[in-house]
Amino acid sequence: MKKNIVYKILEAHLVEGELKAGEPIAIKIDQTLTQDSTGTMAYLQLESLNIDKVRTKRSVAFVDHNMLQQGFENADDHKFIQTVAAKHGVLFSKPGNGICHQVFLERFSCPGDTLTGSDSHTPTAGGVGMLAMGAGGLDVAVAMAGGAYYINTPKVCKINLVGKLSPMVAAKDIILEVLRKLTVKGGVGRVFEYAGEGVKTLSVPERGTITNMGAELGATTSIFPSDERTLEFFKAQGREDEWMELKPDADAIYDEEITIELDKLAPLAAKPHSPDNVEEIASIGKIKIDQAAIGSCTNSSYEDLMKVAKILKGKKVHPDVSLVIAPGSRQVMEMLARNGALADIISSGARILENSCGPCIGMGQAPGTDGISLRTFNRNFYGRSGTLSAQVYLVSPETAAVSAINGVLTDPREFKEDITVELPEKFLIDDSMILKPQVDGEEVEVVRGPNIKPFPINKELTDSIDGKTLIKVEDNITTDHIMPSNSKLLPFRSNIPYLSKFCFNTVDEEFPDNAEKYNGGFIVAGSNYGQGSSREHAALAPLYLGVKGVIAKSFARIHKANLINNGIVPMVFENEESYNSIDKFDELVIDNVLQGLETGILEVKNVTKNTSFKVKVEVTEREIKILKAGGRLNFAKNS
Ligand code: F3S
């Protein structure tokens, strides 16, 4: 008794450790997902673990991030993923079938299961009561090979939803409100468990929007109960046999609790350039817009796009606005096509894109110079749209559609027509674009194009590490800052030597050259270093360039795990003031590293300044072994 949902799932999957907030635990993973941007690397890593078939209940490989085929690279990578999946027992969702999180929610999510995905928005599946966590590709590869997933037992924060949303106020506004309250650092070490009477007013896709953007809080994950509304969704997807009820005990205990009064929420926008820079649309005012983009894994469900179609029906997109719409899956697109809603959307002057991530990751539809873009996506980091001078606002589909008609940012409550959308009794079910793996994988030949290059593997950690401060960066550096993933670079996701030439190039374009010139060294950073995506390229490229350690005020969870997995030592200033004592190119020396890892304290000598300061290495016993071995692959091979 007294158990919340998170602890119920953790307890059922616990392999090692004690469920006590902050304590390291290992859990069994039921399902995994990968997407193409991180998947090539994850499957290369899976191959190096030498297993014939994945040992999960279900593993799915998606292709959704980059479908622009301007050269051979993407097509070759897709073929590699398809064949390696067929060989090793992984389902393959073909390009065009949809965005991983939307398709996963529709076709594979299961209440009570655990999921790791090599994408930071994997928590979307928490919308059905799944414990779904973003992880680095190597952690996902290890889970596919049957290994446990290691996390620190999270604190569980109850988000008590009270009341009901007013018309034209959306699920997106709920999560924007949580971001406004808690900021992009507010979820670190936490799982957000949604509860309260307001839960049953939200459909599964609405819940998925909320759990999806829990990633922007830096949370381990977010989760909803699995209830009658969840059952309705599973019935409509023809999967009621995979549903089970999941709710907290009546006297469940939580570490923290906050309340959101749904009736009091107004339409919100996250202003440039952070998802927590949130303000009411009414107070931002009617700024002129150049683009509206609807879609992404946050807001691309059938329900979202039916509402958009109802708003656009019989109207025209403003002459100065480009409205682009990317449905989240083929299921969504085909249903809109069959019921006529797609015709309403096209007739309004909107542009229809493929069922993929597309503009969310800068793959096409970059705004013009200084362009103002309203996006229903989850991130508005500087430069992510592909245009450095663009101003991106994150909004609900309702706000994006109404504003696209008016040409200015508009409070959607000005639109007075009813756009209620009921859950369809049956979704259109056609899994023919999900390819089953070969029964006898031995027969399958894995196809490797010339773009598939070996990835760097670290060496055993030495007792003394030294080098220059190659770069010094501020707070909230994202994985996009570290390793940009724009349309020109994404095709090289399996080619680390090439990618590393662009490491940090929007922050300090001399970084890769300096790393080479000085034979590696250190990165010095502010707080929340590595926030954003799970992309382990943000650790692999620095590793390739010889980075030995990162000294920061604090780290984002997944990136810290990726550094450890690659044998790069993550260090936290004992006294944050020490950050100010280091300049770029200062020579740093750390002795007695191996013993210091055990005590958790290292002394860093700044040879250039003739000073020293202490840093903490906040890692578990197991992570110490991984660091000493020079990364998780070496550790796995040796143990
Ligand atoms: Fe794709 Fe953007 Fe989501 S890149 S997985 S739609 S965050």
Side-chain angles (χ1 to χ4, degrees):
M1 298 309 276
K2 302 194 179 202
K3 280 186 204 129
N4 53 52
I5 297 173
V6 176
Y7 269 53
K8 286 187 184 192
I9 300 179
L10 287 176
E11 205 172 84
H13 291 81
L14 196 66
V15 176
E16 208 179 296
E18 191 190 347
L19 286 178
K20 210 166 141 203
E23 291 297 310
I25 50 169
I27 54 171
K28 180 182 171 339
I29 295 300
D30 299 314
Q31 300 199 45
T32 65
L33 73 80
T34 56
Q35 37 89 336
D36 50 315
S37 164
T38 55
T40 43
M41 194 54 66
Y43 294 109
L44 285 169
Q45 289 160 335
L46 178 69
E47 284 184 311
S48 75
L49 291 168
N50 291 325
I51 59 142
D52 298 339
K53 284 232 179 299
V54 292
R55 295 177 182 147
T56 44
K57 161 177 155 181
R58 183 152 63 202
S59 287
V60 195
F62 293 89
V63 175
D64 56 4
H65 270 55
N66 190 0
M67 280 133 74
L68 301 178
Q69 291 175 218
Q70 295 154 307
F72 63 90
E73 292 90 354
N74 281 334
D76 280 7
D77 285 0
H78 301 171
K79 198 47 141 187
F80 167 70
I81 296 175
Q82 181 174 345
T83 50
V84 83
K87 188 174 187 74
H88 292 290
V90 176
L91 292 157
F92 177 71
S93 174
K94 286 177 74 178
N97 195 44
I99 303 173
C100 54
H101 308 306
Q102 174 64 28
V103 177
F104 195 91
L105 197 68
E106 292 168 357
R107 308 303 305 145
F108 302 114
S109 59
C110 283
D113 270 10
T114 51
L115 165 72
T116 53
S118 61
D119 188 278
S120 46
H121 292 97
T122 301
T124 311
V128 302
M130 196 166 186
L131 197 76
M133 293 157 289
L138 181 53
D139 281 327
V140 175
V142 169
M144 283 191 269
Y149 182 54
Y150 290 80
I151 50 170
N152 287 339
T153 309
K155 285 185 180 168
V156 184
C157 176
K158 175 179 175 182
I159 300 196
N160 190 25
L161 299 180
V162 176
K164 187 175 185 306
L165 291 171
S166 311
M168 300 305 271
V169 182
K172 182 66 158 277
D173 299 309
I174 300 177
I175 188 63
L176 289 176
E177 175 66 10
V178 179
L179 274 153
R180 171 157 74 170
K181 274 187 193 293
L182 302 181
T183 81
V184 291
K185 297 178 207 162
V188 175
R190 290 169 175 76
V191 175
F192 292 103
E193 183 172 315
Y194 287 83
E197 282 300 293
V199 164
K200 62 173 186 285
T201 68
L202 299 171
S203 66
V204 163
E206 288 177 310
R207 297 174 188 185
T209 295
I210 294 168
T211 52
N212 171 285
M213 270 190 91
E216 276 50 65
L217 293 158
T220 304
T221 189
S222 306
I223 193 165
F224 273 82
S226 170
D227 58 9
E228 284 299 309
R229 298 290 304 260
T230 323
L231 177 59
E232 273 170 33
F233 179 81
F234 273 74
K235 279 187 179 158
Q237 289 286 356
R239 298 204 293 126
E240 56 269 46
D241 54 330
E242 297 207 84
W243 176 82
M244 70 167 201
E245 188 180 42
L246 191 61
K247 56 182 185 184
D249 292 333
D251 53 356
I253 294 174
Y254 296 87
D255 297 293
E256 295 160 345
E257 180 168 343
I258 61 172
T259 294
I260 305 279
E261 294 183 67
L262 300 183
D263 308 271
K264 294 201 175 145
L265 283 186
L268 299 168
K271 299 181 296 178
H273 296 285
S274 183
D276 61 358
N277 189 15
V278 174
E279 193 177 327
E280 284 189 12
I281 287 170
S283 77
I284 298 173
K286 297 204 173 235
I287 50 175
K288 193 170 169 332
I289 64 165
D290 302 289
Q291 183 191 61
I294 298 174
S296 88
C297 57
T298 318
N299 277 120
S300 60
S301 66
Y302 171 79
E303 192 175 322
D304 283 329
L305 295 198
M306 279 305 294
K307 286 180 184 167
V308 167
K310 287 190 173 194
I311 292 169
L312 296 178
K313 187 173 176 147
K315 316 266 185 325
K316 294 292 176 205
V317 172
H318 190 278
D320 294 339
V321 175
S322 170
L323 171 62
V324 294
I325 299 179
S329 68
R330 186 172 71 130
Q331 181 184 78
V332 174
M333 177 82 105
E334 193 172 341
M335 287 175 72
L336 297 178
R338 289 188 184 278
N339 71 13
L342 187 60
D344 295 332
I345 292 175
I346 293 169
S347 166
S348 74
R351 300 162 62 185
I352 302 298
L353 308 178
E354 278 195 276
N355 315 317
S356 70
C357 301
C360 176
I361 196 170
M363 290 295 139
Q365 321 313 327
T369 305
D370 299 332
I372 297 199
S373 177
L374 304 186
R375 299 183 160 210
T376 66
F377 308 168
N378 44 40
R379 291 187 172 152
N380 57 349
F381 300 145
Y382 176 70
R384 184 175 167 99
S385 66
T387 303
L388 289 181
S389 65
Q391 304 282 313
V392 175
Y393 291 72
L394 305 177
V395 297
S396 69
E398 290 88 328
T399 299
V402 174
S403 303
I405 296 167
N406 291 349
V408 291
L409 177 64
T410 307
D411 186 327
R413 292 174 298 186
E414 288 182 18
F415 188 89
K416 298 295 178 200
E417 294 165 35
D418 179 22
I419 60 157
T420 311
V421 175
E422 297 299 336
L423 182 82
E425 214 166 282
K426 266 275 175 276
F427 285 97
L428 195 152
I429 295 158
D430 173 4
D431 290 332
S432 58
M433 285 180 79
I434 299 168
L435 308 185
K436 294 206 173 71
Q438 294 288 324
V439 178
D440 189 357
E442 269 182 31
E443 306 287 306
V444 180
E445 190 195 336
V446 177
V447 181
R448 284 167 224 276
N451 197 36
I452 307 276
K453 293 270 189 289
F455 54 92
I457 298 182
N458 215 333
K459 297 198 186 70
E460 271 185 30
L461 187 64
T462 51
D463 200 30
S464 175
I465 51 178
D466 58 40
K468 295 251 188 231
T469 305
L470 298 167
I471 188 169
K472 183 175 174 185
V473 291
E474 309 272 316
D475 292 349
N476 295 324
I477 286 292
T478 68
T479 45
D480 282 359
H481 287 117
I482 305 168
M483 196 56 258
S485 64
N486 55 44
S487 58
K488 294 195 182 73
L489 292 183
L490 208 63
F492 298 96
R493 59 204 155 216
S494 45
N495 187 343
I496 299 295
Y498 181 80
L499 270 186
S500 65
K501 295 187 206 312
F502 301 88
C503 191
F504 274 119
N505 75 341
T506 60
V507 184
D508 177 352
E509 59 184 24
E510 292 170 350
F511 171 78
D513 290 342
N514 284 332
E516 202 170 30
K517 183 164 141 200
Y518 295 115
N519 196 20
F522 297 93
I523 293 169
V524 171
S527 60
N528 201 22
Y529 177 76
Q531 68 157 329
S533 91
S534 65
R535 212 172 334 115
E536 61 190 349
H537 298 80
L540 284 164
L543 168 63
Y544 181 79
L545 293 167
V547 170
K548 298 163 186 168
V550 182
I551 309 174
K553 291 182 184 170
S554 66
F555 289 91
R557 177 186 71 90
I558 303 176
H559 186 62
K560 181 179 168 189
N562 285 338
L563 289 174
I564 295 167
N565 279 342
N566 286 290
I568 298 176
V569 185
M571 294 166 272
V572 178
F573 291 103
E574 190 177 58
N575 177 353
E576 289 190 2
E577 287 298 306
S578 306
Y579 171 86
N580 301 323
S581 71
I582 314 173
D583 288 314
K584 188 172 163 185
F585 297 139
D586 281 358
E587 180 78 27
L588 307 180
V589 178
I590 311 174
D591 291 322
N592 301 321
V593 176
L594 301 180
Q595 198 200 340
L597 286 181
E598 306 288 345
T599 60
I601 297 281
L602 295 173
E603 179 164 16
V604 182
K605 285 186 209 129
N606 185 334
V607 178
T608 310
K609 299 267 165 48
N610 200 16
T611 55
S612 65
F613 59 90
K614 294 224 165 77
V615 291
K616 295 182 279 182
V617 187
E618 298 171 321
V619 290
T620 63
E621 286 294 316
R622 184 181 145 275
E623 287 171 332
I624 291 172
K625 289 185 192 146
I626 292 174
L627 283 171
K628 285 184 177 172
R632 184 138 188 215
L633 273 180
N634 292 340
F635 174 68
K637 283 180 189 161
N638 299 343
S639 54

